[in-house]
Amino acid sequence: MSWSLVLLLAAGAFGAKAIGFFLLAGRDLPPAMERCLALIPAAVVAALVVKDTFSSGRDLVVDARVLGVGVAVVLVARRVPFVVVVVAAAAVTALARQAGWT
């Protein structure tokens, strides 16, 4: 990828934000739109976790990471503190790799 393309995309993103800012200045968005916009960051993070868990390069894989994410999901559902979730998921992944489940 060339730097000119990166700069062009950055300028386009900045321009789109600026246009939206000036067009919507002083207006409130509909409540349904506000609710949808509030969910976008969580959806993006979830998509990245799924992509990183089930892929390696261009291949679809099921390995020790799946167990770690599974443990994290269960612990989050039980409202365990985040630090405990991260440590437990990392420990389960490490133990699964140690056991040979690459």
Side-chain angles (χ1 to χ4, degrees), residues 86-97:
V86 172
V87 170
V92 167
T93 302
L95 289 172
R97 286 185 176 166

Side-chain angles (χ1 to χ4, degrees), residues 10-94:
F14 180 76
K17 280 184 144 186
I19 289 171
F21 177 74
F22 289 117
L23 289 178
L24 296 174
R27 298 183 196 167
D28 290 332
L29 293 175
M33 181 70 78
E34 289 284 345
R35 288 191 304 273
C36 289
L37 289 175
L39 296 174
I40 288 175
V44 169
V45 170
L48 288 172
V49 167
V50 169
K51 187 218 56 93
D52 286 342
T53 300
F54 293 105
S55 69
S56 178
R58 292 180 176 238
D59 298 327
L60 180 65
V61 294
V62 176
D63 59 7
R65 296 176 291 181
V66 175
L67 291 176
V69 170
V71 166
V73 167
V74 169
L75 293 177
V76 166
R78 294 178 180 245
R79 300 191 185 275
V80 173
F82 184 70
V83 173
V84 176
V85 172
V86 172
V87 170
V92 167
T93 302

